Amino acid sequence: MNIIDKRNSLASSRSTSYRRRAKSAIRNIAIHHSATTSGSAEAFARYHVNELGWPGIGYHYVVDQDGSISLCHDLEVVSYHVGNSNSFAVGICMVGDFRTQSLTVAQRQATLELTRSLMDQLSIPIDNVWGHIEFPGYSWKPCPSISMHSFRNWLREEGATFTDSPPPSPTYVAGARQRTILSRGDQGDDIRALQERLDELGFHPGRIDGIFGPQTADAVMRFQRTASISVDGIVGPETREALRDFESATEPIEHGSPTDEPDDREEMYRKETRRMLRLIQPMMRGTDVQEVQGKVGVATDGIFGPVTEASIREFQISEGITVDGIVGPQTWHALDRIQENGGGGYQRLLSVQTPYIRGEDVKRVQRALNIRVDGLYGPLTEQAIRNFQRREAITVDGIVGPQTWRRLFN
Ligand SMILES: [Zn+2]
């Protein structure tokens, strides 16, 4: 392994520094791509420090396309790369945008070798080597955009040599013995092939276990949304075809985004202390579940089941945030805003704006008008308000101000 020690030469903040931890706190190795077609530890460090204001580069290691490895931090450094999981993860970033590029042989070998040596040194099992997207709260993040299932298989093949041709992709094509439609509850090799294909395309379906469960359905829906086909979580002919052809249809990505982390969610994830709530087996229970249920308006039994999940999705749609049915930092923040609104008093003027005003208050208005409740203040809502104002003999302007609000609710 060709490791270059850059711990003292990369850009770092003069005023802040990362926390440190004991090596024994490390439980995961996180694999990233840089989402840039080129780059270096030096460039990422400058970006993280100068543009994002971080104490130093986010990654512990950067692996270049030629297979050379930059050591950027001691393992004890708690740098930013996987939000809430930073304190127990080591970050390895491979330079490249694997949505459009492939790993080079040298890079793959160096990354595998590095990962294996870290696994040995820190006693980390293969199953704890995760892609960025596999960390809690990151199912929206297409990083590292390679199949982590394959990556972990490569790790198992100690000493294996690689050629430039990628491993044959799972036979995800129409075949004689294949079922035509795959949906929740199905099991078998065709489900496994489906999961592998989803994983390969970066739509992490959870465990590759040949069982079509909620996570697989979720991955199918995320895929369908991305592929712009009907979103039903079921794999029929249309979805099957889209899965087969997806790569060739991938749009070119604009180059030059300096890192895969340039968004403000990192900070939010870092500060969030509440646990992530999601639909799993056995179902999660607790007062936090109850609190969430109260806010999205479902029975507050304190058990995170399918109905709660569905309501969370609806809530996320109306808030315009990532729709995954999971209460992570972003959704917690959105839910917090409901509380601040103090149970639905008049808060703001509602009118048709571009983009449309959205929120719980709009929903309340729509419910009161007995029209479709989508939480968006669009032309139909405006028209219904005009009619209402006419009936109430108040100023007809299609705008919900304090007077109209009072008439609606008092
Ligand atoms: Zn990443």
Side-chain angles (χ1 to χ4, degrees):
M1 259 190 305
N2 173 23
I3 299 187
I4 308 153
D5 186 351
K6 298 185 180 170
R7 283 176 293 182
N8 295 314
S9 63
L10 297 176
S12 64
S13 162
R14 279 185 216 139
S15 51
T16 59
S17 54
Y18 283 127
R19 278 192 301 119
R20 292 179 73 92
R21 61 186 164 200
K23 269 191 201 167
S24 57
I26 302 173
R27 301 204 302 263
N28 286 96
I29 297 172
I31 306 295
H32 302 265
H33 71 154
S34 65
T36 56
T37 50
S38 60
S40 61
E42 285 79 4
F44 303 148
R46 279 195 298 272
Y47 183 78
H48 291 169
V49 172
N50 301 334
E51 302 297 321
L52 302 183
W54 293 357
I57 186 172
Y59 313 114
H60 294 85
Y61 295 91
V62 172
V63 183
D64 288 344
Q65 273 145 351
D66 67 3
S68 58
I69 300 169
S70 303
L71 168 60
C72 308
H73 288 302
D74 296 339
L75 293 172
E76 287 88 348
V77 170
V78 180
S79 54
Y80 302 163
H81 58 111
V82 283
N84 256 359
S85 307
N86 288 334
S87 20
F88 47 85
V90 173
I92 300 177
C93 176
M94 299 178 287
V95 176
D97 183 343
F98 302 136
R99 293 169 298 189
T100 53
Q101 293 173 296
S102 303
L103 269 168
T104 68
V105 172
Q107 192 176 28
R108 177 164 58 176
Q109 247 156 354
T111 308
L112 289 172
E113 218 176 316
L114 171 63
T115 307
R116 283 196 198 105
S117 100
L118 289 169
M119 286 165 58
D120 282 348
Q121 192 188 335
L122 301 165
S123 306
I124 292 175
I126 280 187
D127 286 339
N128 282 4
V129 178
W130 295 351
H132 188 175
I133 191 172
E134 295 176 300
F135 280 80
Y138 280 107
S139 60
W140 51 273
K141 187 110 188 166
C143 176
S145 289
I146 58 168
S147 163
M148 286 306 296
H149 180 66
S150 304
F151 188 87
R152 284 184 286 265
N153 277 341
W154 298 335
L155 281 173
R156 286 188 190 99
E157 297 161 13
E158 186 87 43
T161 53
F162 299 107
T163 61
D164 256 317
S165 56
S169 55
T171 48
Y172 201 78
V173 290
R177 286 182 298 123
Q178 216 166 22
R179 283 173 281 199
T180 346
I181 292 179
L182 307 176
S183 59
R184 282 277 280 264
D186 286 345
Q187 300 193 10
D189 285 345
D190 43 0
I191 304 299
R192 185 181 298 272
L194 166 67
Q195 291 170 326
E196 282 172 358
R197 182 66 179 149
L198 287 165
D199 186 54
E200 185 183 64
L201 296 178
F203 299 88
H204 178 58
R207 268 187 56 198
I208 312 278
D209 54 7
I211 301 169
F212 199 126
Q215 277 183 289
T216 304
D218 184 65
V220 169
M221 287 195 277
R222 277 184 279 119
F223 169 75
Q224 290 170 325
R225 214 168 286 128
T226 308
S228 303
I229 55 177
S230 25
V231 180
D232 55 9
I234 293 169
V235 180
E238 184 190 34
T239 304
R240 191 181 300 276
E241 193 179 326
L243 278 166
R244 196 184 49 215
D245 300 341
F246 189 68
E247 266 151 331
S248 55
T250 310
E251 317 163 14
I253 311 285
E254 77 290 3
H255 296 140
S257 76
T259 168
D260 75 321
E261 299 286 359
D263 67 64
D264 52 14
R265 294 189 230 193
E266 181 74 13
E267 183 73 1
M268 195 199 291
Y269 278 87
R270 200 165 58 79
K271 287 188 177 153
E272 182 56 64
T273 53
R274 288 167 288 192
R275 69 175 175 157
M276 192 173 67
L277 303 177
R278 63 190 307 172
L279 183 58
I280 47 166
Q281 287 300 338
M283 290 175 194
M284 299 179 81
R285 294 161 181 267
T287 49
D288 46 359
V289 176
Q290 227 161 2
E291 180 192 341
V292 166
Q293 289 173 323
K295 287 180 176 176
V296 296
V298 296
T300 52
D301 60 3
I303 304 170
F304 198 109
V307 175
T308 304
E309 191 199 39
S311 307
I312 292 294
R313 281 177 191 277
E314 256 171 56
F315 172 73
Q316 290 169 328
I317 291 167
S318 75
E319 289 290 309
I321 57 178
T322 314
V323 182
D324 56 8
I326 299 170
V327 182
Q330 197 188 22
T331 305
W332 273 119
H333 279 244
L335 289 164
D336 289 344
R337 286 197 292 271
I338 299 184
Q339 192 171 40
E340 284 154 21
N341 291 347
Y346 174 78
Q347 309 142 31
R348 56 176 175 172
L349 209 64
L350 300 175
S351 62
V352 176
Q353 305 273 328
T354 312
Y356 295 150
I357 292 181
R358 51 170 84 224
E360 285 305 303
D361 46 354
V362 178
K363 282 190 184 172
R364 251 199 106 186
V365 167
Q366 291 170 327
R367 259 179 232 120
L369 295 167
N370 206 12
I371 58 175
R372 199 166 89 86
V373 181
D374 62 2
L376 291 173
Y377 201 96
L380 291 177
T381 308
E382 188 194 41
Q383 189 52 53
I385 283 293
R386 283 179 189 278
N387 297 343
F388 173 77
Q389 289 170 327
R390 214 166 279 126
R391 288 198 300 273
E392 290 288 310
I394 55 177
T395 318
V396 179
D397 56 9
I399 296 171
V400 180
Q403 190 192 30
T404 305
W405 184 273
R406 265 197 313 275
R407 293 288 181 114
L408 278 165
F409 299 114
N410 298 338

